Amino acid sequence: MSDRTVHDRTTSLRTEMLALLLEPLGVDAMAGQAALRWLAENVHTVAQAYGCSDLPPSGSTLPWVSEAVAACVEEHELVRLAMARGGTPTLAEARALRELTHLEGLLPRLRTLDGVPVDALRADLAAVAVAERLLPEVLEPCSRADQDWPEEIWQSIREIDVDSALADLSRPRITRQAAAARELVLQHSISAARDLRNRDLVTRLEKVRDFVAAEKAYEAFLSVRPGWWRWLGPDARSGFRSDRRDALVWAIEARDTGAVPGSALELLAADDARAVIEHAVTASVAPIASLSAPPAKSSAARLVTGLLAVASRHDADQLRALESWYTRNAALFDRVAAAMDVRGADPGLREALDPLVGELALPSGAVDTSRSDYRDIQSALRAEVQADLKRTPYSEHAMESEDLVGVISRIGTLERELRDAIKPLPPVRGRLLVAIAGRTKSGKTTLRKALTRDADRTGIGRGAHRTTRKTSTFDIGSVTYLDTPGVAAKDDDFDAQHARAACDIADAVIWNYADTLREEESAELQRLLLSGKPLLAVVNVKGLVNTPVRLELFADRPNREFKSAAGHAARIEQVATAVGVAPPVILAVHSGAAHEALSTEDRELADKALRASRLPDLERSLEQLLAERAIPLRAVRLAEGVRTPLAAIHGRLIEELPRIDLALGELERSAPSEQAGLLEAFRTVGRNTRDRLEAERHRAKERLPEVVRELGGADHAQRWSDFVTGLKLEALVSSLECELERETRKRGKVLRARASVPGPQEDEHLEVRPRPDAKAGSVSAAAAKGAGAALLGSVAAKGIPKKLAPPPVVVADYVLTPLAGAAKAVSGEVDRLRRARDEWSSETTAAAEARLDEVFGRREAQVARIVDDTTTQVGVQFEAQFADIARTRGRFQQLRQLRSGVRSALDAIDLVLVRRLLALAGGDPATVRSARRTPGVELRVWTDASSVADVRACLQERLVDVLTERIEIRSAHDGNTDD
């Protein structure tokens, strides 16, 4: 880049800063640095004469400018780093990179976000809140189990049948089952655990059961979540990865709190962008000091926002040169800035400063006053938005309603879009741009040299060769001209691209017409006419004037050279008519004669020839064209730059707010019925469970006689325990909880706590005394022994010697009598045992029934408690959800009110634009009451009834082609229509 180019760009940057400083006066940067400097000094003088003695000390605005320069330089450094890695960041991306580098806590999270897809970064914070709440609850038993269980057991813990081992180890006596279970557990533990008692092993094994249950619940939770929730998966048996979850929450909160725009977070998903950010963060030795933001309408704020907006067009050296220049002139600038700020609140000072604008001599004779008005509109709307849009906290219960989360998400999206729509104004444009276009060899370079009064003949085409192959620039006053390559040459594709690009960015176009209008030229001219740009068609007369004699002959009789211009003008008008647009301004000029007049030694002939060439007429026509059409078009583009994002968000609000209103209304209507339906479902589940308990109680009592017959022995406690366990009451209670959870999930709710099912209680054991009945052999033995004793006693009583064997008859006599007594004795013993057994059976059955009633009573109480706890929990959730819906309704109402503010801002922009254009057209701006763009009618204007005709004449007949849109003029009595 040449020193001349660097100097020009630095001067342009200074001009833009001066224009921003004087913006409240309505001046435009096209006035040039010298004129703006003169105006700034006069503002200072007027303010002092007015009595503004309380001015700030020198350098009061300098910190803001220095900070903005440092920020811009940092953006350039980030762009350089990105380009070194093969990237091509835009200005918005460079600014987003800079904003990200200054986010607190960024660096430790960059590496944890490695590989994170953009969709995850855009994920709703509601889902993260659900995970944050549920995961610790699911994994909390794992943490408890890990505290008391030896580390070595984790390798093979799943090989243990925990429930079976717990049952065996809990047996009251040392049995083979208990010993086997103890050995199984010790095989998975350390040797020190062998000294533990079975009761201690049971405690630890219960911890294992908690861990296994928690792990299963956690896996079930992950199985129903999206794939990216696997980030939150455990990397160890006792914990889980929280860094990525924290990074995700941090990124989304940064977006939602407005620290960075949503688009900036997308850069975190790009590896190269993360590398640039990390390099910038780690290499930064002295970060920029964070200053509080200046007031939105202050001069310091205008300087900062304007400098940030134009930074991409200037390199770091130019920005530092600007800071140095501003530092040297800080005393003047601070006083001018203070005067501009005081002017807004002091009508007297405003009246004293306004005449300065009229003294500002501009070649185009007009000043664009739209920019300061548009900035005030934006500042007012931005203040209103920032005051109303505040982040609203929601309860964790809001995240469980998919519909409510959707409404909250849609409202949040609209709020972010509204904030993004209120951006700083487009950058100060600076000088007007005028492109010189036309066919190859039409004399564009000659016209350039004539306009610049350059007598040098270098570069003027000779013969059939074209000399201008790329666009070049030259300045005349406050206008920059673009000398473009020719179009319609044999191999002009590349040249035509340069020419079209220059015409597209220009504020106005000079079309240089020569001799004929070929098909290619005609197509290019039609394109320009259809673009709506101000266009001046110059018919270049090419009569030879290369000698003093010929030049003098032309000066004396110029009409002879211009007699063919009428036919060329007719041809241009035909081209315009063919595409349905108004013909452009057409002027015949002899560029060659004007250029030859610059090099002739006869000054009288030179002046005469210059006037005869009609170049002064061209300059006056161009000045009038710029004033009447180019500046209004710039005002239109500026209005579009401010209006377009606001119109977009206004359209989104019109489209989305009714839908959100319907969704919120449906939530407000359905939530109470959902609560009633869920509570009724709970009551139904509770009744069904109690009915099942009652039926199970009836069946259990029917089985009691059979169970009681098996009791009374050494293992009666285990038999009773097996009977109670076989009732499966725990499974009945667990199924109740599952039913409650299922009914809750069907309605989009989540139960936070689950009632624990207690194990067997000590008081559930049945106390039974030994059974009184004996085995059949024992009864026979007792009866035989009694009969024998009775027989021997009877023989002895009759005096028969024991050693003497009596005859059978005698023996029979002696035996029958005692046997009858023995049988009587046996019968009495049997009756006694039967009575004892019946008494024991009756007593045991009554005790068993009583114990069963206690067991079922406890289960019924537990069922009632579970239903009541769940009902209370769900009631709390619904109350919180009702509050969340109310808060959402409040945010919705704020958006609805802000929609009116956006509509008012759009109307104010349209009103400023119409009044500005009416003033340029010679009308009275005060006659316009309101303006609005409407579907079908591009711009509708309301004015006084007496002024309708005048406004219509100014706008519709003279400036409709400038706006390139249809205008409808109405009387203010017709009323204004709302959306």
Side-chain angles (χ1 to χ4, degrees):
M1 183 182 297
S2 65
D3 294 339
R4 170 73 177 176
T5 304
V6 173
H7 174 74
D8 290 343
R9 291 194 176 183
T10 304
T11 302
S12 174
L13 184 56
R14 295 175 183 177
T15 302
E16 290 171 348
M17 291 293 288
L18 277 170
L20 283 168
L21 191 61
L22 297 171
E23 194 176 53
L25 290 177
V27 300
D28 195 275
M30 58 178 279
Q33 185 180 5
L36 291 173
R37 182 61 182 258
W38 170 85
L39 182 60
E41 292 172 351
N42 278 274
V43 167
H44 181 208
T45 304
V46 172
Q48 284 185 326
Y50 183 77
C52 294
S53 57
D54 189 18
L55 295 177
S58 176
S60 61
T61 60
L62 184 60
W64 307 110
V65 175
S66 298
E67 182 189 19
V69 170
C72 296
V73 171
E74 186 179 9
E75 286 181 16
H76 282 284
E77 177 62 19
L78 291 171
V79 170
R80 186 189 64 79
L81 289 172
M83 293 180 68
R85 295 179 177 272
T88 55
T90 63
L91 173 62
E93 290 175 343
R95 188 156 301 147
L97 286 173
R98 179 174 61 82
E99 292 172 344
L100 285 171
T101 56
H102 291 282
L103 270 184
E104 183 179 357
L106 171 69
L107 188 58
R109 291 179 170 88
L110 281 177
R111 295 181 182 87
T112 59
L113 290 172
D114 192 20
V116 177
V118 178
D119 290 342
L121 289 176
R122 294 174 177 166
D124 199 338
L125 187 59
V128 180
V130 172
E132 278 198 304
R133 184 185 69 252
L134 294 182
L135 284 174
E137 292 180 2
V138 171
L139 292 174
E140 195 267 340
C142 308
S143 177
R144 292 202 317 268
D146 185 43
Q147 293 174 3
D148 298 326
W149 193 253
E151 189 175 296
E152 289 80 355
I153 199 171
W154 297 123
Q155 300 301 324
S156 53
I157 193 172
R158 293 169 185 78
E159 298 177 11
I160 302 177
D161 185 351
V162 177
D163 292 333
S164 175
L166 275 174
D168 291 339
L169 288 173
S170 299
R171 293 181 183 277
R173 297 181 182 179
I174 299 178
T175 62
R176 284 180 296 178
Q177 293 95 328
R182 175 183 176 84
E183 186 62 28
L184 176 64
V185 173
L186 293 179
Q187 287 175 1
H188 299 83
S189 185
I190 55 178
S191 58
R194 296 184 179 278
D195 297 332
L196 298 176
R197 292 174 298 178
N198 281 15
R199 185 167 53 193
D200 300 323
L201 289 176
V202 166
T203 301
R204 293 199 172 187
L205 205 57
E206 287 174 346
K207 298 287 185 181
V208 173
R209 181 182 60 188
D210 292 341
F211 173 78
V212 173
E215 190 176 47
K216 290 179 179 178
Y218 175 66
E219 289 298 328
F221 171 76
L222 282 185
S223 65
V224 298
R225 294 292 169 185
W228 60 270
W229 283 110
R230 292 287 175 182
W231 293 353
L232 307 179
D235 58 357
R237 293 301 176 191
S238 60
F240 57 90
R241 289 286 302 276
S242 61
D243 51 357
R244 292 195 177 187
R245 180 204 64 203
D246 293 342
L248 178 64
V249 174
W250 166 83
I252 295 177
E253 285 183 346
R255 177 204 66 191
D256 290 345
T257 55
V260 291
S263 58
L265 295 184
E266 297 182 10
L267 294 174
L268 295 178
D271 294 336
D272 52 350
R274 272 201 303 270
V276 171
I277 296 171
E278 184 174 4
H279 185 278
V281 172
T282 56
S284 178
V285 178
I288 300 173
S290 178
L291 299 177
S292 59
K297 295 185 179 181
S298 69
S299 297
R302 292 198 306 274
L303 293 174
V304 170
T305 55
L307 183 58
L308 292 174
V310 303
S312 61
R313 305 205 305 264
H314 304 276
D315 58 31
D317 293 336
Q318 295 163 9
L319 291 167
R320 292 192 178 97
L322 169 72
E323 183 181 12
S324 177
W325 172 76
Y326 192 93
T327 303
R328 291 194 303 270
N329 297 275
L332 171 64
F333 294 153
D334 288 342
R335 282 154 178 77
V336 173
M340 292 297 98
D341 294 340
V342 173
R343 172 186 174 276
D346 192 333
L349 179 59
R350 180 168 60 249
E351 185 178 352
L353 290 175
D354 285 344
L356 290 177
V357 180
E359 299 178 18
L360 191 63
L362 293 178
S364 58
V367 174
D368 186 359
T369 59
S370 306
R371 186 178 303 277
S372 58
D373 294 326
Y374 294 155
R375 193 178 294 280
D376 289 342
I377 293 169
Q378 271 195 319
S379 298
L381 183 58
R382 183 182 299 112
E384 182 181 359
V385 169
Q386 296 301 334
D388 290 343
L389 292 187
K390 297 179 181 178
R391 190 177 181 190
T392 305
Y394 293 94
S395 71
E396 58 186 8
H397 307 288
M399 311 312 172
E400 295 163 4
S401 171
E402 183 177 352
D403 295 334
L404 180 56
V405 168
V407 171
I408 294 173
S409 177
R410 290 163 68 181
I411 290 179
T413 300
L414 289 176
E415 290 174 345
R416 287 193 294 274
E417 290 180 1
L418 182 55
R419 285 195 178 98
D420 291 341
I422 308 172
K423 294 296 183 183
L425 280 173
V428 178
R429 184 171 177 81
R431 308 173 68 88
L432 280 172
L433 297 178
V434 177
I436 303 176
R439 180 168 62 85
T440 301
K441 303 299 295 173
S442 63
K444 296 185 299 299
T445 303
T446 304
L447 177 61
R448 164 184 176 171
K449 289 183 177 293
L451 289 171
T452 58
R453 305 304 192 263
D454 183 5
D456 186 14
R457 298 178 182 277
T458 305
I460 295 179
R462 292 290 187 268
H465 298 285
R466 59 189 186 274
T467 55
T468 303
R469 301 304 303 272
K470 62 181 180 180
T471 301
S472 59
T473 64
F474 61 97
D475 296 337
I476 301 177
S478 61
V479 180
T480 295
Y481 290 85
L482 307 175
D483 189 8
T484 67
V487 298
K490 184 177 180 181
D491 55 347
D492 76 331
D493 287 347
F494 192 67
D495 291 355
Q497 291 177 11
H498 281 286
R500 292 189 191 102
C503 292
D504 289 341
I505 66 172
D507 296 301
V509 177
I510 296 176
W511 180 266
N512 215 41
Y513 178 95
D515 300 334
T516 61
L517 194 62
R518 301 174 183 174
E519 184 177 350
E520 297 87 346
E521 295 175 76
S522 178
E524 195 63 28
L525 179 58
Q526 288 177 349
R527 190 184 76 87
L528 289 173
L529 289 170
L530 289 171
S531 71
K533 285 185 180 294
L535 190 143
L536 177 60
V538 176
V539 178
N540 190 15
V541 176
K542 287 192 173 184
L544 290 177
V545 290
N546 56 348
T547 64
V549 175
R550 289 180 176 177
L551 182 62
E552 186 174 4
L553 181 62
F554 166 74
D556 291 336
R557 303 180 64 182
N559 291 335
R560 293 178 58 183
E561 298 295 334
F562 288 112
K563 63 182 180 180
S564 62
H568 299 317
R571 177 72 177 114
I572 295 173
E573 292 174 354
Q574 289 175 358
V575 172
T577 304
V579 293
V581 299
V585 178
I586 304 172
L587 188 64
V589 176
H590 199 314
S591 302
H595 188 259
E596 286 293 335
L598 299 174
S599 58
T600 185
E601 296 179 358
D602 187 347
R603 299 317 307 164
E604 183 179 353
L605 174 60
D607 292 341
K608 185 178 180 180
L610 184 62
R611 289 193 301 272
S613 70
R614 301 184 182 179
L615 183 66
D617 295 339
L618 169 63
E619 292 173 332
R620 285 190 294 271
S621 297
L622 180 60
E623 181 177 324
Q624 183 179 3
L625 180 70
L626 296 179
E628 292 185 355
R629 301 183 66 189
I631 292 179
L633 266 182
R634 172 183 283 187
V636 171
R637 287 195 298 272
L638 179 60
E640 287 300 316
V642 180
R643 192 184 192 282
T644 298
L646 293 181
I649 183 60
H650 185 262
R652 287 268 292 140
L653 290 172
I654 291 176
E655 179 184 0
E656 285 290 330
L657 289 181
R659 299 177 183 175
I660 294 176
D661 192 16
L662 289 175
L664 266 177
E666 181 62 28
L667 282 171
E668 292 165 341
R669 291 188 297 271
S670 63
S673 60
E674 286 182 3
Q675 182 182 16
L678 184 56
L679 295 181
E680 179 60 30
F682 285 173
R683 287 190 287 270
T684 301
V685 171
R687 286 195 301 269
N688 293 340
T689 303
R690 287 191 290 272
D691 291 344
R692 290 166 62 188
L693 275 174
E694 190 60 33
E696 192 64 32
R697 185 206 298 262
H698 182 70
R699 285 192 293 271
K701 287 188 175 182
E702 287 180 346
R703 291 177 53 198
L704 270 183
E706 178 185 351
V707 174
V708 168
R709 285 196 298 269
E710 302 295 329
L711 302 180
D715 58 348
H716 74 88
Q718 184 62 42
R719 291 180 179 275
W720 175 256
S721 178
D722 292 342
F723 169 67
V724 173
T725 302
L727 297 177
K728 299 182 179 180
L729 300 183
E730 292 82 0
L732 193 63
V733 174
S734 297
S735 67
L736 166 67
E737 293 180 327
C738 292
E739 285 289 333
L740 293 176
E741 288 184 359
R742 187 159 43 249
E743 292 293 339
T744 307
R745 284 197 301 271
K746 282 168 59 177
R747 292 161 177 82
K749 299 294 179 184
V750 176
L751 294 178
R752 284 298 143 336
R754 182 172 180 176
S756 59
V757 180
Q761 302 292 326
E762 289 296 329
D763 56 359
E764 289 183 359
H765 295 298
L766 182 64
E767 297 294 335
V768 179
R769 58 187 178 86
R771 190 172 49 200
D773 56 346
K775 295 181 181 180
S778 300
V779 175
S780 301
K785 181 178 180 181
L791 177 63
L792 294 177
S794 177
V795 173
K798 294 206 177 268
I800 301 176
K802 294 180 181 180
K803 295 181 180 180
L804 182 63
V809 176
V810 176
V811 172
D813 180 52
Y814 277 96
V815 169
L816 288 176
T817 300
L819 281 179
K824 194 173 186 178
V826 170
S827 176
E829 182 67 17
V830 171
D831 289 341
R832 185 186 63 80
L833 290 176
R834 183 179 294 109
R835 286 193 303 273
R837 185 180 62 188
D838 292 343
E839 180 183 353
W840 176 87
S841 297
S842 176
E843 176 186 339
T844 303
T845 300
E849 287 181 350
R851 185 62 65 203
L852 274 181
D853 289 337
E854 292 179 9
V855 170
F856 279 94
R858 278 195 295 271
R859 292 300 183 270
E860 288 178 353
Q862 184 180 7
V863 166
R865 185 173 64 254
I866 291 174
V867 173
D868 290 343
D869 291 347
T870 306
T871 301
T872 302
Q873 185 182 151
V874 170
V876 171
Q877 292 183 22
F878 270 101
E879 289 300 322
Q881 184 173 329
F882 295 153
D884 292 325
I885 293 175
R887 283 190 286 268
T888 306
R889 172 62 72 176
R891 285 178 66 182
F892 169 78
Q893 295 298 343
Q894 289 174 353
L895 273 180
R896 177 176 281 176
Q897 295 171 2
L898 286 173
R899 174 194 157 192
S900 300
V902 175
R903 178 70 262 176
S904 299
L906 291 172
D907 291 345
I909 292 171
D910 294 336
L911 180 61
V912 171
L913 176 63
V914 171
R915 286 178 173 175
R916 172 69 180 129
L917 296 178
L918 187 59
L920 288 173
D924 182 8
T927 60
V928 178
R929 301 304 182 190
S930 61
R932 173 173 293 186
R933 301 193 189 188
T934 58
V937 178
E938 293 295 332
L939 184 61
R940 182 170 292 168
V941 178
W942 285 267
T943 183
D944 297 331
S946 59
S947 304
V948 170
D950 294 337
V951 172
R952 180 177 290 114
C954 290
L955 292 182
Q956 285 189 327
E957 297 175 9
R958 297 181 57 183
L959 290 177
V960 67
D961 58 335
V962 173
L963 287 170
T964 65
E965 53 184 286
R966 188 163 67 91
I967 302 176
E968 180 179 303
I969 312 298
R970 286 188 170 191
S971 170
H973 297 295
D974 296 340
N976 202 342
T977 58
D978 294 328
D979 298 325

